[in-house]
Amino acid sequence: MKDLSRRRILFGGAALGAGALLTACTSNDPGENTQIKAEDTDSNPNAAPGTKVVIGFSAPGADHGWIAAITNNAKAQAEAYSDVEFKSVEAGTDAAAQRAAISTLIAQKPTVIVLLPHDGKELNAVGLEAMKAGIPVVNLDRAFPDQAAYRLQIKGDNFGMGLAAGTYVAAQLKLKGVTNPIIGEIPGIDSLELTQERSAGFNAALAQNGFKVANRRPADFTADGGQRAATDLLQALPKMDALWNHDDDQGIGVLAAINQAGRKEFFMVGGAGSKAAIDQIAADNSVLKATVTYSPSMASSAISLARLIGQGKGMSDLVELQVPKEITLASETITKENAAKYAKLGF
């Protein structure tokens, strides 16, 4: 298992130490987003209005609930600050279109750019372009391979997400006394590094318990793709003990395929922590028994930290004078027992 702890600062939820308080919930409704509201300026000097910061923002089109929440959260967080101007640009439908949009944004010279790329490797050059132009880049979620392409990288813990899912699956199988389980896996887009990291974490946790994946069918982070992948997986595995689906949005299709096939002999773990998944886990009326978080609240945090970078400030709870280089949010496991606690964070 690779050790990521030396390279990152891990934060659970949005407790970023930037004088922030997680106060609202996340959804596809722009009126209900995860926002970090400024606290009393007496206890948090970073909350006081400072130098105006123009934050350029780009993320893929909102064809997915998690992506929609990312964009909504970023916009809402920017609106929480009187000293921030939010300048969003259309990302287009692919990496090439987003590259063109970011190049146009760079020409407008914002103070900082917050960018969730279609693909980190394909957008690496545009990150380098902005940094060379003197514009700090906050690389959100999908990592640029070149550290010179970003000032700050903030993302979810993809390896840890798989590790959490695998740990839960192994623990439940042991409780059930299953010694030679048949385990299925439905990842998202297989070419993405984040998907590969999730699978690596899942495999590592299973291997620690002497288990392995029996069959794996990639989807594409959509409900339709999830349904197709699940249909193929269910046909390939006429009996199954456990299933991990990487993404709760594609999980809508996965569950549809499971229900259509009338399969109930296994339990399923989801991924990301959608409101629909959390509600279904709480109701305990399907094979879905848990989900592991990958919260879009990271977009709110990215805007807050971009503001601090633009103003030359650090995080109030840290001794260092500047915002760290890399921040990775921890992945948490949501079950029936704690679903009510996490419901407000579902997207």
Side-chain angles (χ1 to χ4, degrees):
M1 184 189 310
K2 59 184 178 181
D3 181 6
L4 304 182
S5 62
R6 296 180 184 177
R7 295 181 55 251
R8 315 186 288 204
I9 296 175
L10 295 178
F11 292 94
L16 291 167
L21 180 64
L22 188 65
T23 58
C25 62
T26 313
S27 79
N28 294 338
D29 179 354
E32 296 183 16
N33 298 296
T34 302
Q35 297 176 39
I36 300 174
K37 293 186 178 179
E39 295 176 312
D40 188 340
T41 57
D42 291 337
S43 60
N44 173 26
N46 283 341
T51 305
K52 180 182 177 181
V53 176
V54 178
I55 299 178
F57 176 82
S58 179
D63 58 352
H64 180 277
W66 189 87
I67 292 289
I70 282 283
T71 300
N72 290 339
N73 286 351
K75 182 179 179 181
Q77 185 60 31
E79 291 173 350
Y81 296 111
S82 62
D83 52 12
V84 169
E85 178 183 341
F86 186 72
K87 187 173 290 188
S88 180
V89 297
E90 294 295 330
T93 58
D94 55 28
Q98 191 174 28
R99 267 197 304 270
I102 295 299
S103 291
T104 300
L105 181 61
I106 291 170
Q108 297 172 12
K109 300 187 181 302
T111 316
V112 188
I113 291 176
V114 175
L115 171 61
L116 195 162
H118 275 282
D119 182 284
K121 292 178 181 178
E122 293 189 42
L123 270 294
N124 187 73
V126 82
L128 288 170
E129 180 186 348
M131 291 289 286
K132 287 177 182 177
I135 304 170
V137 174
V138 177
N139 177 203
L140 185 60
D141 184 46
R142 297 173 185 174
F144 293 143
D146 192 336
Q147 291 194 25
Y150 61 86
R151 163 60 184 82
L152 165 65
Q153 190 175 88
I154 177 168
K155 59 183 180 177
D157 187 355
N158 286 293
F159 185 84
M161 189 180 179
L163 200 66
T167 299
Y168 177 83
V169 165
Q172 293 303 304
L173 290 171
K174 287 188 172 183
L175 282 174
K176 296 173 184 292
V178 181
T179 56
N180 189 24
I182 299 171
I183 301 170
E185 181 185 5
I186 300 178
I189 299 172
D190 233 2
S191 63
L192 293 178
E193 184 178 3
L194 65 88
T195 298
Q196 296 160 18
E197 289 178 351
R198 291 178 187 186
S199 287
F202 189 56
N203 289 332
L206 295 181
Q208 287 178 347
N209 294 275
F211 301 152
K212 63 181 180 180
V213 173
N215 203 297
R216 182 178 184 277
R217 298 298 170 105
D220 57 4
F221 293 126
T222 70
D224 288 344
Q227 187 165 8
R228 288 192 297 269
T231 298
D232 291 344
L233 182 68
L234 293 170
Q235 290 173 351
L237 297 177
K239 180 184 182 301
M240 190 160 48
D241 296 294
L243 169 64
W244 183 37
N245 162 60
H246 286 207
D247 178 76
D248 287 332
D249 277 337
Q250 76 182 18
I252 295 170
V254 172
L255 285 170
I258 292 170
N259 291 334
Q260 187 174 12
R263 298 281 293 271
K264 299 178 180 178
E265 82 280 4
F266 60 90
F267 66 91
M268 173 174 144
V269 178
S274 76
K275 181 68 164 58
I278 294 172
D279 288 346
Q280 199 152 19
I281 290 165
D284 197 20
N285 57 7
S286 75
V287 297
L288 182 61
K289 302 302 180 184
T291 189
V292 289
T293 62
Y294 197 86
S295 177
S297 65
M298 68 177 72
S300 302
S301 300
I303 295 296
S304 291
L305 294 175
R307 171 180 174 265
L308 295 184
I309 290 170
Q311 294 175 343
K313 297 177 180 178
M315 295 164 64
S316 59
D317 291 341
L318 297 183
V319 174
E320 289 73 24
L321 301 180
Q322 298 293 326
V323 171
K325 175 77 171 177
E326 297 184 10
I327 294 175
T328 303
L329 307 183
S331 184
E332 303 168 62
T333 304
I334 302 174
T335 65
K336 180 182 177 181
E337 287 69 30
N338 62 10
K341 173 184 173 183
Y342 285 94
K344 64 182 179 181
L345 300 180
F347 61 90

